[in-house]
Amino acid sequence: MSSPLLDAAVLVGLVVSALVTLGAGYRVIRGPTTPDRVVALDTIGTNVVAIAVLYAIDQGRGLFVDVALVLAIIGFISTIAVARYVTEGDIIE
């Protein structure tokens, strides 16, 4: 039994997150530099986490929050790994 205002806010959040993800996908493809692509991939990862949380709110299921937390952890680790590879040319010394 959620309120109509909450339903509208979740829908707006999902639409905005999807549009930002599409824009970041364009930046991943077009570049122009590798750091731009890395930041765009990190943005996509963050938006996927936001979409999972918004979906959990919409459906009223806490399982998707756990999925979002795992995605956030994986996204953070992969961003660190890619940043080290871009700056140093090697992930593990």
Side-chain angles (χ1 to χ4, degrees):
M1 314 305 177
S2 63
S3 69
L5 183 61
L6 178 63
D7 291 339
V10 168
L11 180 63
V12 168
L14 284 169
V15 169
V16 168
S17 292
L19 291 175
V20 170
T21 302
L22 287 174
Y26 174 78
R27 186 52 52 199
V28 168
I29 293 169
R30 296 295 298 203
T33 64
T34 302
D36 290 331
R37 289 184 169 106
V38 171
V39 170
L41 282 171
D42 189 41
T43 303
I44 289 172
T46 302
N47 282 325
V48 167
V49 170
I51 288 170
V53 169
L54 288 169
Y55 187 74
I57 292 169
D58 185 48
Q59 297 298 312
R61 299 189 56 169
L63 175 68
F64 294 109
V65 175
D66 295 337
V67 170
L69 287 172
V70 170
L71 286 172
I73 292 168
I74 291 171
F76 175 74
I77 292 170
S78 64
T79 299
I80 297 298
V82 170
R84 284 194 60 163
Y85 180 75
V86 167
T87 57
E88 299 175 12
D90 192 18
I91 297 172
I92 300 173
E93 299 179 79

